Amino acid sequence: MAGDWRMDRIGAALRGENPTVLRRLESGFAAIGDAHVWPRFAWESAEPVSKPVWLYPRDRWSDERFRAGPQHDALRDAVGSELDQLKA
């Protein structure tokens, strides 16, 4: 991805460079990240899962390992396919 998509999230979405965007919709985008539903994962310990996600250690919010990126392509494709089925 060219540059940092976070600097212009809408422009990056329109260019297909925003990794949080799952699908373009008629009136906007289906995206992950700024939502009221927070995913939980099997690899997470029980302690933080029982609490709000914003109480995670600060480094979780800035560590590159936890950022949206190509390592999440399979998940994005699966969710996007489900969105396509809902639209059909």
Side-chain angles (χ1 to χ4, degrees):
M1 287 179 214
D4 187 356
W5 60 269
R6 292 173 202 87
M7 299 303 291
D8 179 12
R9 293 171 190 263
I10 301 299
L14 293 170
R15 293 187 303 274
E17 298 172 358
N18 184 330
T20 67
V21 173
L22 300 172
R23 287 291 185 271
R24 177 101 188 246
L25 305 174
E26 288 182 27
S27 61
F29 302 95
I32 56 174
D34 301 322
H36 296 285
V37 178
W38 293 88
R40 299 303 186 153
F41 303 96
W43 52 262
E44 292 180 284
S45 65
E47 168 65 21
V49 170
S50 64
K51 297 178 180 167
V53 72
W54 53 86
L55 294 180
Y56 269 55
R58 193 117 180 90
D59 66 324
R60 289 288 180 106
W61 296 101
S62 58
D63 190 322
E64 286 291 329
R65 294 178 297 160
F66 304 110
R67 288 191 176 175
Q71 70 273 26
H72 301 107
D73 285 348
L75 176 60
R76 271 193 297 280
D77 290 343
V79 173
S81 292
E82 290 294 322
L83 289 170
D84 291 344
Q85 289 181 19
L86 292 172
K87 285 184 358 182

